[in-house]
Amino acid sequence: MRIVLFGPPGAGKGTQAKRLIDTLKVPQISTGDILRAAKAEGTPMGKKAAEFMDAGKLVPDEVVIGIIDERTQKDDCQSGFMLDGFPRTIPQAEALGAMLKGRDQGIDHVVSLEVDDGVLVQRLTRRRSCPECGAIYHLDFSPPKTEGKCDQEGAALMHRADDQEEAIRERLNVFHGQTSPLKDFYKQAGLLREVDGAGAPDAVFSNVTQALGV
Ligand code: AMP
């Protein structure tokens, strides 16, 4: 199965992807995670991407398209993959379609997590994550057992640079301007599955699995 998890920042794409990969046995491919790792390693791509990411802007299409082209050709993607945070623009979606067509493949479902802006801001400002294992916490709804520390690794939790209020506002603007037109793009292709993403992770997961029929 080849799936796109679609939605605004804070919609729960990462949280749902981590649950779905256990059910579907396909890898999660998050362009945000790949770019953050490149930034942390200080690679040339990471340095270039950091300027855009910290300001809440999109990294240029050719960079993320290149990442996805390379990553989806790896062996673990033979029986499918789950894209989290890609595509985010029409040119990215077109490039993805062309890339898969060239391999006699296609996307099966685009799951769109629907959440209002007010809820998103509330989620993002209180979100913390583990830099080692990627676990995601919310200070009010799913806090770690020990304050500031990951339950799994004990690593110090981080507050992403782009989860500060100004960058959040910019990311929501970018979503409404550049990314949300993709919903029509995939609706016309008959691939869009709209899912209520406003509830707790368990409730949203059950909406997602129902929409996918898994
Ligand atoms: P995310 O973790 O998906 O919220 O992504 C964090 C940041 O990485 C975004 O705000 C962008 O700066 C960058 N990014 C991730 N995926 C993409 C993409 N598909 N296109 C452009 N920029 C991206």
Side-chain angles (χ1 to χ4, degrees), residues 9 13 30-33 35-36 49 52-54 56-61 64 84-89 92 127 160 162 171:
K13 299 184 296 293
S30 156
T31 37
D33 284 350
L35 290 166
R36 273 185 291 280
F52 297 94
M53 295 169 76
D54 291 348
K57 300 203 179 304
L58 292 184
V59 171
D61 285 339
V64 283
D84 157 11
F86 181 95
R88 265 173 149 102
T89 63
Q92 289 179 22
R127 174 163 76 177
R160 279 170 46 174
D162 59 353
R171 288 160 71 206

